[in-house]
Amino acid sequence: PEPSKEDLIAINRKRIDKLHVSLRISSGDKKISLKEELVRTSAQTAQLQAEVYEQEIKDKIKSAKSKVEDHISELSNAAHTLAHNLSSGEVEELLSELSLSKAWNEGIEASTLDSASAYTSKMTGIAGNLNKAADKIVEIDQQGAQIFEKS
């Protein structure tokens, strides 16, 4: 099976630690390739963390909303159970307050989901910039190598 995003994050963090150690003791071409790998691994990790964060927010909202719906259902069932002691008008009055629209703020839900999505988009942009930086590291290294070849 393919590793989960959380697994990949953990793998990447260990790899980043190893890259830092290797960078301290390396030089020349090896150091440049390690820097590139470090930047790309960091970019991937940032992207994965943002995706995991957004999914966690979505899951928590879904779970909370489900719990609210379950409580509404339980209260509605309880009201119907007590209905034999109340008039139909009293039961309807009790049940009129038991709706998801009154117990759940769709605006806050949408705003929270939008914020999580915006965070993921921003992190995607940062990851893209990090990958451009890694490309620049390689480009500068290649230009430097050409200078030495001409000498």
Side-chain angles (χ1 to χ4, degrees):
E2 217 171 284
S4 69
K5 289 179 182 181
E6 291 85 353
D7 292 339
L8 289 173
I9 290 168
I11 291 166
N12 283 356
R13 284 182 178 154
K14 287 177 185 173
R15 182 69 188 140
I16 288 169
D17 290 343
K18 289 178 182 176
L19 288 167
H20 280 293
V21 171
S22 296
L23 274 168
R24 283 189 221 117
I25 58 174
S26 298
S27 61
D29 289 344
K30 182 68 176 168
K31 192 165 196 146
I32 291 168
S33 68
L34 289 170
K35 284 181 182 180
E36 177 195 5
E37 186 178 352
L38 175 64
V39 172
R40 291 194 193 281
T41 304
S42 297
Q44 182 190 40
T45 303
Q47 178 68 40
L48 289 168
Q49 285 175 318
E51 291 170 8
V52 167
Y53 170 77
E54 182 177 12
Q55 190 58 53
E56 286 174 352
I57 295 294
K58 287 178 179 178
D59 292 347
K60 286 180 182 184
I61 287 174
K62 184 178 178 181
S63 173
K65 192 172 187 177
S66 177
K67 287 178 184 175
V68 168
E69 289 171 331
D70 290 347
H71 286 302
I72 289 170
S73 178
E74 288 172 20
L75 291 172
S76 178
N77 289 338
H80 285 290
T81 301
L82 297 173
H84 64 279
N85 295 329
L86 303 171
S87 69
S88 62
E90 291 171 318
V91 171
E92 288 305 314
E93 185 179 334
L94 283 173
L95 293 177
S96 70
E97 296 298 316
L98 294 176
S99 68
L100 188 60
S101 63
K102 291 191 181 211
W104 187 261
N105 189 320
E106 298 284 341
I108 290 174
E109 176 186 9
S111 173
T112 302
L113 292 172
D114 287 346
S115 293
S117 179
Y119 173 77
T120 301
S121 295
K122 184 172 273 197
M123 292 306 290
T124 299
I126 289 170
N129 288 337
L130 286 170
N131 280 315
K132 287 177 187 173
D135 293 341
K136 199 69 170 168
I137 289 169
V138 172
E139 180 185 325
I140 291 168
D141 178 50
Q142 289 170 347
Q143 290 172 355
Q146 289 174 355
I147 290 170
F148 283 113
E149 288 173 8
K150 291 178 183 177
S151 300

